[in-house]
Amino acid sequence: MKLIFLGPPGAGKGTQAAGVSAHLGVPHISTGDMFRSAIRNQTPTGLEAKRYMDAGELVPDSVVIAMVRERMAMDDARNGYLLDGFPRTVDQAIALDEIAAPDAVVDIDVPDERLLSRLTGRRVCGKCQGTFHISKLADEHTCPICGGALYQREDDQPETIATRLKAYHEQTEPLIGYYSGLGKLRRVNGDSKLEDVFKAILATLE
Ligand code: AMP
């Protein structure tokens, strides 16, 4: 199955994508994770992407599309994928339709007023890349899964979050109309318990 998870930053796309991709047996492809890894490895793509990411802005379409095109050519993506964080603009969606059009698009809906606390309280494990909220952690510095050190993403600072939400509303939200017009959109309420959102996603894909 070829699947896209849409939704604002902090909607829980990454967390849900990890569970749903394992359930469906398709690779979880997160463009944000790919950029963060490129930055750690100091590749030309990472160096180019970093200034946009730090500012909370979208990386230019040409850079993202080239990276996704390369990733989609790999063997494991041949029989399906779960894209998390891509496409984020209509031009990216048009490019994806040419590379390998999705079967379904799940929009994980969370109101803006809930996103700020979700994002400022988010912590990521530097070792296993798991994502957690401080309200659920006994020790906010240590990963409860693998024991790795948790850190706060630079773009999860309140000033940057405002820019990211603006980019979402202006550049990514139009994709809801784009995929709805193609009859591929499924909407799920993301403002609920993790397990309930997971079940709702699977139900909508049946
Ligand atoms: P994410 O981890 O999905 O929240 O992405 C973190 C940052 O990476 C975003 O704020 C953008 O700067 C950049 N990014 C990730 N995916 C894309 C994309 N499809 N288009 C443009 N920029 C992206």
Side-chain angles (χ1 to χ4, degrees):
M1 175 170 246
K2 303 190 199 80
L3 204 56
I4 291 172
F5 277 7
L6 265 188
K13 297 187 297 295
T15 305
Q16 294 297 340
V20 173
S21 64
H23 183 84
L24 297 176
V26 293
H28 171 194
I29 301 176
S30 154
T31 42
D33 284 350
M34 290 170 79
F35 282 133
R36 281 182 287 276
S37 155
I39 290 171
R40 279 196 298 277
N41 295 321
Q42 302 197 337
T43 70
T45 301
L47 295 176
E48 161 113 41
K50 188 173 180 343
R51 57 199 170 107
Y52 296 99
M53 292 174 74
D54 284 350
E57 292 165 8
L58 294 188
V59 177
D61 283 343
S62 57
V63 177
V64 191
I65 292 168
M67 183 176 77
V68 169
R69 194 183 291 282
E70 207 173 290
R71 178 65 185 85
M72 298 295 249
M74 292 182 183
D75 275 354
D76 65 338
R78 199 163 290 161
N79 295 321
Y81 57 70
L82 198 172
L83 277 168
D84 152 21
F86 182 94
R88 262 176 156 100
T89 64
V90 171
D91 282 349
Q92 291 179 18
I94 292 169
L96 180 64
D97 281 341
E98 286 161 11
I99 301 169
D103 302 310
V105 178
V106 178
D107 176 42
I108 306 180
D109 200 24
V110 176
D112 272 15
E113 57 273 21
R114 301 275 298 115
L115 298 171
L116 187 67
S117 68
R118 282 183 173 217
L119 290 167
T120 52
R122 175 158 73 178
R123 297 293 180 273
V124 184
C125 174
K127 202 166 155 197
C128 73
Q129 314 305 323
T131 307
F132 310 93
H133 193 271
I134 45 172
S135 63
K136 306 251 170 66
L137 290 168
D139 169 1
E140 66 175 78
H141 303 291
T142 311
C143 175
I145 308 282
C146 75
L150 297 178
Y151 71 96
Q152 181 170 30
R153 276 171 48 170
E154 272 184 45
D155 59 353
D156 278 347
Q157 307 294 333
E159 321 73 80
T160 317
I161 291 171
T163 312
R164 290 166 68 203
L165 287 178
K166 188 164 175 278
Y168 170 76
H169 289 301
E170 290 179 2
Q171 294 169 273
T172 307
E173 216 163 36
L175 291 177
I176 293 176
Y178 179 84
Y179 286 119
S180 165
L182 293 173
K184 293 184 177 179
L185 192 77
R186 325 274 170 91
R187 295 191 101 156
V188 165
N189 173 19
D191 192 14
S192 178
K193 283 196 291 187
L194 276 184
E195 317 78 81
D196 294 341
V197 179
F198 181 73
K199 282 185 204 149
I201 292 172
L202 293 187
T204 197
L205 293 176
E206 266 171 16

